[in-house]
Amino acid sequence: MFGVAFAMASQPGGAQAGGPLGAFQAILPLVFMFAIFYFLLIRPQQKKAKDHRALIDSLKKGDQIVTAGGIHGKVSAIDGDVVLLEVATGVTIKISKGYIATLKKD
């Protein structure tokens, strides 16, 4: 039993078993995991946010839009961060620009 304990002890001189290569091999899986997360989660989310920001900045009076809540309407005015949305003839509602989901194609 003591033979196994001595066999598992560190090498003479306190050197690690793998040296610098062993440290690299320990970090390599973490690098691969980060790369996978970046390309599958972070990058697509940033692209979607950039596209949404461009959509919000390009809004103008008369655009047909759909809100995140599913309300369809026509932009009647834009005042800073608030959009007046005409949902029916003579019926307008105020919504925040951030809740605009898409432009409607006619």
Side-chain angles (χ1 to χ4, degrees):
M1 181 146 113
F2 288 113
V4 174
F6 284 118
M8 294 177 69
S10 67
Q11 293 180 352
Q16 288 184 339
L21 187 61
F24 179 72
Q25 288 176 344
I27 293 174
L28 195 60
L30 294 175
V31 171
F32 283 133
M33 296 248 321
F34 179 76
I36 289 169
F37 276 114
Y38 179 75
F39 285 110
L40 293 180
L41 297 174
I42 298 170
R43 189 170 171 217
Q45 185 178 11
Q46 287 176 341
K47 185 176 188 278
K48 186 175 179 181
K50 182 181 174 185
D51 291 344
H52 187 256
R53 208 173 309 117
L55 167 76
I56 297 299
D57 292 340
S58 70
L59 275 180
K60 60 187 178 298
K61 185 177 177 179
D63 284 345
Q64 296 283 335
I65 63 167
V66 179
T67 67
I71 299 172
H72 295 243
K74 185 167 102 176
V75 175
S76 60
I78 300 173
D79 183 29
D81 194 35
V82 176
V83 175
L84 289 173
L85 185 65
E86 185 176 355
V87 293
T89 306
V91 179
T92 58
I93 59 173
K94 289 183 181 181
I95 62 166
S96 295
K97 276 186 175 181
Y99 288 100
I100 296 173
T102 59
L103 281 174
K104 222 166 93 172
K105 308 284 190 248
D106 289 334

